[in-house]
Amino acid sequence: MRLVIRNDADTVADYIAEYIKERINQFKPTAERPFVIGLPTGSSPIGVYKRLVRLCNEGKLSFKNVVSFNMDEYVGLPRDHPESYHSFMWNHLFKHIDIPPENVNILNGNAEDLQAECERYESKIQSYGGIELFMGGIGPDGHIAFNEPGSSLQSRTRVKTLAYETIIANARFFGGDVSKVPKLALTVGVGTVMDAREVVVIITGANKAIALAKCIEEGVNHMWTVSAIQTHPRSLVVCDDDATLELHVKTVRYFKSIEQVQDEMIGRENLGLYGQVAGPLKYKNIPSGN
Amino acid sequence: MESSSGSITQFYNCLVLKDHNLVKDYLYVQDGKIIDPAKMFWEEKRTPDVRIDCKGGIVAPGYIDVQINGAFGYDFSNDTDIIEEAVENISKGLLLQGCTAYCPTTVSSRPEVYHKVLPHLGPRKGSIENGAAVLGAHIEGPFISPQKKGAHELATLRTAKNGLSDFDECYGLENLRKYAAYVTMAPEVEGITDTISALIKETGISIASGHSNATTAQADEAFKKGANMITHLFNAMHPFHQRDPGIIGLLGASDSRPFYGIICDGIHVHPHSVMIAYYAHPNGACLVTDAMSAQSLPDGFYKLGEMDVDVHGGHVYIKGTNTIAGSIATLAECVRKFIKFTGASKVEALENATLHPAQMLGISDKKGTLTHGADADILILNQDLDVQRVFIAGVEATSNNVRFKQKL
């Protein structure tokens, strides 16, 4: 797992947007071989979406050959409800970019047979050969998608009952009325996210600090479902300084030092996207001394 | 799931007038209507076929003028023999100015004039071929006050002591039903207030109070009976007096208040009076030009109804008098002047020429709005509210595809 620490939410969004742009462009997607991306909703990704839109308008990025799968959707909320995740994705991303509508996948929370809808979703992901990069945010309780604490780390796409805390937290989007918040959602499972060839998680703000510490400093635990990324072969967590408040100083310094050492000794220009050294390992400044 | 075939146009790089705000957004049009783009994307799996760069401008509904007597040399009350030609050329000329819908207005006339012209002033769709949409006639008079006749001809004025039959005799009730949007009358004229309810019920038209010496009590009674508009506020009415503010007093009511037309050309109404009206009832303002045949023509002598008028330096007078007789303003000018006079926001000024007149006529689901399903009558304006581009029923109107002539 890589942990990249930036000063604030804006620079975190800069980093991730740039990263995703590079990943898509280096992938050189075509209609036959599209780049398959998993996408979240919520407050964390808004800044990233803004930047992806800007990159798209500047002609530096195209979603023409990108296929997207969203993480989750409420059950029973009309598609055109302002708080539906369809509306969220339309307003923050899809209406601004060149993604073909047929490439966009979001779970249908109004399907007659919800179970069948979840199975259809999983097999559609499989039909594209799986997800190349899954981007996610987390809740203060460390949940990824609607995989609330206690969710199986092997879980697949399914109907999920929302935790009481999530309902209270989301009431602000429904006029402060807890009774109006949908109690069920369809969500990809932790297993579905972890099957992606790469997982990128955005964690910003002091209110996510405990979750970040639980997820990366303690064991893999279904009460903090994002902790599953510890066993993922290619995962990246990008957080801001505020989110590191509950981490050990040692942890923060270690991950900061990785970037620092790379910068000083190898040079950022010699590093690949995953932090690997591109080409033969050459030191930029060999420490002198006898 | 219904699917559609028509080409979809997206307006981008613009501020869209939406929900009483200017919002950085897009606007989508298909088959002459404004469409819901989320439905297009999620259900029809479609993206826009044509994109229009608005260059950072404002996208607003087309202007609606509910009081205009003529323009480009034509006059709805005077050109009775060539009335179709008048409607055609005025509709096209107004369209190019950014006025996409209007009520052709007649001054007080003899019955034979109404029977002759009204059938040509009825509702007509807006299009490149037709020009601006016609919303039905605004019939001003002749049931108005002799004391407040303004530029109307005294000999034509009438009373309604026999009730509905007087209206039938004057206009023809069938003509009102089919061709009129609203009628301006004076509540204090004999028989009027007692007949308002029946007239509305019988014909479905709307009623405005105007050219009237009504006291506030009389105006209020007419309002309660259904006369829910005021014609050119301040002009041709009982002036404001502290113990009896006349029709103007309706703007000070604490419950419901009528819509009011106001001629914001800087001549008919003092800028401070515009400000007072705006403060009193901002959501009721409807900017009207009250333009006459010389609008867009050079200074000189013209006809208003059957009267000769003298047009010079932006003023219109009945020949040889100092009675003002209509304006030569465009609605686009009135919108800009409204901001200058009141300091109102662009949104408020634009809504005074779009949403409010549409609400006044009960057509705000189709006109004066950019809501989904409304007619795609659209203006692109710059930040100074100069009209840059005009679209009617989703098609751009230019001097190449909309040709009209002036009558000199």
Side-chain angles (χ1 to χ4, degrees), chain B residues 124-332:
Chain B
R124 197 164 90 132
K125 273 194 169 36
S127 66
I128 294 297
E129 296 73 32
N130 287 353
V134 178
L135 301 172
H138 168 197
I139 306 170
E140 220 189 343
F143 298 91
I144 58 172
S145 160
Q147 287 89 48
K148 296 292 172 187
K149 66 180 175 52
H152 291 235
E153 199 183 332
L154 186 62
T156 62
L157 304 194
R158 301 167 75 98
T159 64
K161 55 179 169 246
N162 306 310
L164 275 183
S165 63
D166 285 327
F167 292 103
D168 193 26
E169 188 193 321
C170 179
Y171 312 120
L173 291 181
E174 192 60 17
N175 285 338
L176 292 184
R177 239 174 252 131
K178 283 185 179 164
Y179 309 120
Y182 72 111
V183 179
T184 291
M185 44 186 76
E188 77 281 15
V189 167
E190 188 180 3
I192 295 296
T193 299
D194 290 339
T195 319
I196 286 174
S197 306
L199 188 61
I200 292 172
K201 191 162 168 248
E202 192 62 34
T203 62
I205 57 161
S206 300
I207 310 271
S209 293
H211 283 280
S212 158
N213 216 6
T215 61
T216 298
Q218 287 168 326
D220 192 46
E221 192 186 351
F223 176 53
K224 291 204 164 72
K225 291 197 162 155
N228 64 345
M229 319 172 191
I230 299 173
T231 289
H232 48 48
L233 185 76
F234 299 120
N235 294 111
M237 58 184 61
H238 188 306
F240 187 93
H241 183 279
Q242 72 276 20
R243 280 189 294 281
D244 184 5
I247 292 177
I248 300 163
L250 296 185
L251 264 59
S254 57
D255 46 5
S256 61
R257 290 168 289 181
F259 286 99
Y260 57 94
I262 188 160
I263 310 169
C264 195
D265 64 348
I267 294 166
H268 280 71
V269 180
H270 192 280
H272 295 182
S273 300
V274 176
M275 183 72 160
I276 286 169
Y278 162 67
Y279 267 128
H281 188 20
N283 297 330
C286 300
L287 302 185
V288 298
T289 60
D290 199 16
M292 44 74 71
S293 61
Q295 195 248 49
S296 299
L297 295 186
D299 286 358
F301 295 104
Y302 296 92
K303 284 271 189 191
L304 178 66
E306 291 177 2
M307 310 182 76
D308 291 312
V309 297
D310 178 2
V311 176
H312 62 265
H315 291 73
V316 184
Y317 296 105
I318 294 175
K319 199 174 167 184
T321 74
N322 56 5
T323 302
I324 48 179
S327 85
I328 52 169
T330 66
L331 206 46

Side-chain angles (χ1 to χ4, degrees), chain A residues 79 86 90 95-96 101 106, chain B residues 25-26 37 41-43 45:
Chain A
R79 188 212 71 217
H86 280 79
W90 168 252
K95 76 171 167 184
H96 306 288
I106 302 192
Chain B
D25 204 347
Y26 311 90
F41 187 85
W42 297 114
E43 293 178 18
K45 308 274 181 201

